[in-house]
Amino acid sequence: MADVKTKRDFRDRDRVSADEDYEVRYFAKQHRITPEQVRELISEHGNERKILQREARKLGDKAF
């Protein structure tokens, strides 16, 4: 079931949903990685945003 974007609150801002394409694309664009890499990170590390940001930075460092 898709997120209802009109209902906004703080509850899931600390999570990234692999099921929601727009969340994956947004996170990928923010960290300059591919959506596939985001899904891999979620499957390896869970969906907590802080952990994913840390791991995405590591991927970004490897690219340069």
Side-chain angles (χ1 to χ4, degrees):
M1 184 174 185
D3 274 349
V4 178
K5 295 179 187 175
T6 58
K7 292 183 180 181
R8 294 176 180 232
D9 61 20
F10 63 90
R11 284 184 283 185
D12 70 349
R13 287 187 182 170
D14 61 338
R15 307 266 182 218
V16 177
S17 175
D19 297 332
E20 299 295 341
D21 287 335
Y22 71 93
E23 285 190 28
V24 172
R25 286 192 312 266
Y26 179 75
F27 189 87
K29 185 177 179 180
Q30 269 187 319
H31 297 284
R32 296 183 178 144
I33 60 178
T34 66
E36 292 78 25
Q37 288 174 310
V38 174
R39 286 192 174 89
E40 288 174 20
L41 288 176
I42 292 171
S43 68
E44 289 177 28
H45 301 284
N47 65 347
E48 189 173 335
R49 188 172 300 274
K50 280 187 178 182
I51 294 171
L52 293 173
Q53 288 172 335
R54 182 187 67 218
E55 297 301 320
R57 273 189 240 113
K58 289 179 186 177
L59 282 177
D61 290 344
K62 289 179 185 177
F64 294 104

